[in-house]
Amino acid sequence: MTHRQIGRSSGARGTIWIDGREMEISGDETIAQTTMRHGVRIDQPCGGRGTCGKCRVLLRDGGGPFETAIAPGLSMDEVAQGYRLACRTAAADGMRVALLREPDGGGRILEFGSGTFERIAPAVRESMAREAFGISDEGEILGVALDIGTTTLAASLLDLRNGALLCSASCANPQSAHGGDVISRISYAVEASSGLEILQREVVDATNALIERLAAKACLGTDRILHVVAAGNTTMEHCFRGVSPEPIGRAPFAPPFRRADRVSAGALGLKANPLAFVDLISNIAGHVGGDLVSGIYYSKMLEGDEISLLIDTGTNNEMALGNRHFLVVCSAAAGPALEGACIRDGMRATCGAIEHVAFEDGLLHCSVIGDCAPGGICGSGLVDLIAGMLRVGVLSSTGRIAAAEAVPGSLYAGHLAKAEGGREFRVAPRDGGFIAVTQKDVRETQLAKGAIATGLEMLLDRAGLRTTSIDRVLLAGAFGSYMDLENAIALGILPDLPREGIIPLGNAAGLGCAKALLHGDAFDIAEEIAAKAEHLELATSPAFQEKFLKNLEFKTCLS
Ligand code: FES
């Protein structure tokens, strides 16, 4: 494994100051590794390969030779100004470093809401609890619903006696330090020494921290937790169970398991009653996971005649089209643009992210998350910006940013500038420069929207349907809940259908797990869903490339 090898100084020990906070260096480690040991997690979307530039920090004092700082994610100018990649720069005694972004908190959290879930026949019944789990009083018996996201973990605590949702919590998935997408995680599991064990320990430890928070909030002991139901994409589910996801990373992308055997919390090291059941929702294929199945189950989309399209937008965009008669599913590698990664000034939807932008009379009105100065652009902000740029005529439908002199009458010509690698559209000042949308950012967004639109087209073709046949579009996950519908439709990320039929579901995967905790037959239903699904493998489909190229162009339903 060659990650994070550049710039190490052998045997380095001493002290480093990060934003004025003193941190001990332990042996050979990078700045990112030192801060992580001290609980400050620097986001590393490319897994420390030095290519994304998202982990850049400003070196105020100390540091190694100039040449060791050169990496694809940093320009020479930036190196000269003192910027360094935290993932590639050795922590050295006496170094003083400024963080340029809020440490990674996992992005905007989409928890489970509140209320009571319908209780039908939970797998753990009260009478059984007293006998089998040693709970001898009449008090609560608990279940945990867990959404294992690539970026974020979210958990809820439920009272299995009555279905009441007691509380929820979430945190960043600590595996993000090894890369922002599932391919990076698979690489880490396969190539790093003890990679799989590390990935499993990280997700189990983070889940335990969440469980302890939940139990403390509810003032209840973790030994009352008798059932944990979890769902994630197929790679996350394998890492959680400590099964190598290696086959998922190559054609035919077959997962080692589709339905995992039930294990005990004790065997997995989870903080719950040691005999508690731990179940995973079945996956469908290597890149169509239990999270989609859980969302399908929660949405009830297979219970009626209405045709529903469920979209879970992420790095790997998962989609399901169906009703009670049929179900077709696919995943399209949309890339991380809509999560703010691989975008020059992109960031997760956390404090400081520009989440919405309105174009009005030559001005840009930016909404920023939290009480922070703008630090970058998250996915929903990027969608608004690109749709706005198309509307005001500074971006062509082919995705080319105009030169200022080519749009002399435009109220937004002043936002256009030349930049390294093409033109950019400047949005807001930052650090003596500008937060901007670059030509490359537009291309990345086109790749994402092209993959999503092509996935939908192929699902419809397979089902012999047209876009207008879709009765409901169900949006799972954070992006679906926060993006501006009109702008997403304008870019072709969502189909142009009546707005009242487009419904954000929230954390559909987690909500499906909560529902499964309270329904005894949930696993049979999830298994039925997984078995009923016809899976389209787009990565090996010859038709995909052809349609994908056509779908790269921005449609023009702009008003
Ligand atoms: Fe450091 Fe990507 S460049 S994590």
Side-chain angles (χ1 to χ4, degrees):
M1 186 67 188
T2 56
H3 292 178
R4 303 193 201 86
Q5 296 297 313
I6 293 178
R8 288 186 174 188
S9 62
S10 155
R13 284 176 191 277
T15 305
I16 183 171
W17 278 265
I18 307 285
D19 281 348
R21 184 176 155 195
E22 190 176 340
M23 297 183 186
E24 283 295 307
I25 303 165
S26 170
D28 288 354
E29 60 183 11
T30 61
I31 294 172
Q33 288 168 329
T34 305
T35 60
M36 195 182 322
R37 272 194 315 97
H38 289 81
V40 177
R41 186 175 296 282
I42 296 176
D43 197 11
Q44 299 184 66
C46 75
R49 289 179 175 80
T51 55
C52 71
K54 298 294 180 200
C55 66
R56 75 185 64 182
V57 294
L58 186 59
L59 201 55
R60 298 210 184 277
D61 204 3
F66 184 90
E67 312 80 64
T68 63
I70 295 169
L74 216 50
S75 70
M76 295 287 273
D77 278 356
E78 288 171 316
V79 174
Q81 288 165 32
Y83 292 98
R84 296 291 183 273
L85 298 180
C87 71
R88 310 282 285 186
T89 305
D93 191 30
M95 223 179 215
R96 288 179 188 273
V97 172
L99 299 181
L100 301 176
R101 290 189 173 162
E102 289 289 303
D104 179 21
R108 180 163 35 196
I109 300 310
L110 198 56
E111 292 178 351
F112 294 64
S114 59
T116 297
F117 286 76
E118 188 189 11
R119 179 186 181 279
I120 296 181
V124 178
R125 298 185 186 84
E126 285 182 68
S127 54
M128 177 184 179
R130 271 176 276 285
E131 285 170 27
F133 295 90
I135 306 277
S136 55
D137 57 42
E138 299 293 315
E140 290 85 348
I141 57 170
L142 305 172
V144 169
L146 174 67
D147 170 25
I148 314 170
T150 315
T151 307
T152 304
L153 307 179
S156 268
L157 191 67
L158 289 104
D159 187 338
L160 297 179
R161 298 173 309 168
N162 53 24
L165 193 156
L166 302 177
C167 49
S168 302
S170 52
C171 68
N173 185 335
Q175 298 174 343
S176 300
H178 314 297
D181 56 39
V182 294
I183 299 303
S184 313
R185 310 284 169 87
I186 294 170
S187 302
Y188 187 80
V190 174
E191 295 167 17
S193 160
S194 306
L196 178 61
E197 289 76 13
I198 292 169
L199 291 175
Q200 187 189 25
R201 194 176 62 239
E202 286 175 338
V203 70
V204 167
D205 286 353
T207 302
N208 281 336
L210 281 182
I211 289 176
E212 285 188 323
R213 267 164 64 192
L214 293 175
K217 264 193 206 174
C219 299
L220 294 166
T222 55
D223 59 334
R224 290 185 172 276
I225 297 170
L226 307 184
H227 197 180
V228 176
V229 175
N233 65 51
T234 310
T235 298
M236 289 302 101
E237 290 197 349
H238 280 69
C239 292
F240 184 70
R241 285 297 301 271
V243 176
S244 173
E246 190 263 335
I248 301 170
R250 54 181 161 78
F253 317 107
F257 69 75
R258 279 198 43 251
R259 180 177 189 162
D261 294 334
R262 170 174 280 173
V263 286
S264 69
L268 208 54
L270 280 186
K271 289 205 168 151
N273 188 301
L275 299 175
F277 305 151
V278 182
D279 289 313
L280 282 171
I281 302 282
S282 304
N283 66 68
I284 293 173
H287 294 292
V288 182
D291 49 357
L292 188 73
V293 174
S294 192
I296 292 169
Y297 171 53
Y298 172 71
S299 73
K300 300 185 181 173
M301 64 179 273
L302 303 185
E303 292 180 15
D305 290 322
E306 273 187 327
I307 295 173
S308 298
L309 169 70
L310 174 64
I311 306 181
D312 192 346
T313 305
T315 305
N316 192 38
N317 193 75
E318 296 176 318
M319 284 185 272
L321 179 72
N323 64 7
R324 70 190 174 97
H325 301 294
F326 76 99
L327 174 64
V328 204
V329 300
C330 72
S331 67
L338 299 179
E339 294 187 335
C342 78
I343 297 298
R344 193 193 70 184
D345 295 326
M347 64 184 285
R348 290 189 185 144
T350 186
C351 194
I354 296 174
E355 62 167 342
H356 285 298
V357 184
F359 288 61
E360 240 176 67
D361 303 329
L363 297 175
L364 296 179
H365 300 282
C366 299
S367 311
V368 179
I369 299 176
D371 189 16
C372 303
I377 307 164
C378 67
S380 56
L382 184 69
V383 167
D384 287 358
L385 277 162
I386 293 184
M389 289 163 69
L390 282 161
R391 268 194 200 97
V392 301
V394 297
L395 182 69
S396 72
S397 63
T398 59
R400 198 169 162 76
I401 298 178
E405 50 281 14
V407 285
S410 169
L411 295 174
Y412 292 91
H415 289 265
L416 297 166
K418 279 193 183 145
E420 216 173 289
R423 300 191 187 101
E424 65 181 29
F425 181 82
R426 293 179 171 171
V427 182
R430 183 194 62 189
D431 302 332
F434 289 92
I435 297 169
V437 176
T438 68
Q439 184 61 67
K440 179 173 172 293
D441 298 342
V442 175
R443 297 296 179 216
E444 294 287 351
T445 308
Q446 284 181 283
L447 295 178
K449 88 104 190 160
I452 296 167
T454 308
L456 173 57
E457 198 179 330
M458 293 192 66
L459 287 181
L460 287 167
D461 283 356
R462 181 64 200 158
L465 298 170
R466 305 161 69 97
T467 308
T468 48
S469 314
I470 300 171
D471 297 303
R472 297 185 306 167
V473 178
L474 307 170
L475 305 176
F479 183 71
S481 293
Y482 292 107
M483 71 181 158
D484 181 285
L485 276 189
E486 294 304 327
N487 286 337
I489 291 167
L491 296 193
I493 291 170
L494 293 180
D496 188 8
L497 289 167
R499 308 312 186 244
E500 63 276 12
I502 303 179
I503 305 162
L505 293 181
N507 186 341
L511 290 162
C513 293
K515 186 175 165 184
L517 276 170
L518 298 154
H519 292 219
D521 57 356
F523 289 95
D524 294 333
I525 294 172
E527 185 59 19
E528 260 174 48
I529 292 170
K532 174 178 180 174
E534 181 185 356
H535 172 232
L536 302 186
E537 184 53 79
L538 302 190
T540 52
S541 161
F544 180 82
Q545 277 308 322
E546 188 189 322
K547 290 179 190 289
F548 175 68
L549 290 175
K550 186 189 68 166
N551 281 319
L552 288 176
E553 190 150 335
F554 291 117
K555 292 265 164 48
T556 49
C557 35
L558 298 163
S559 53

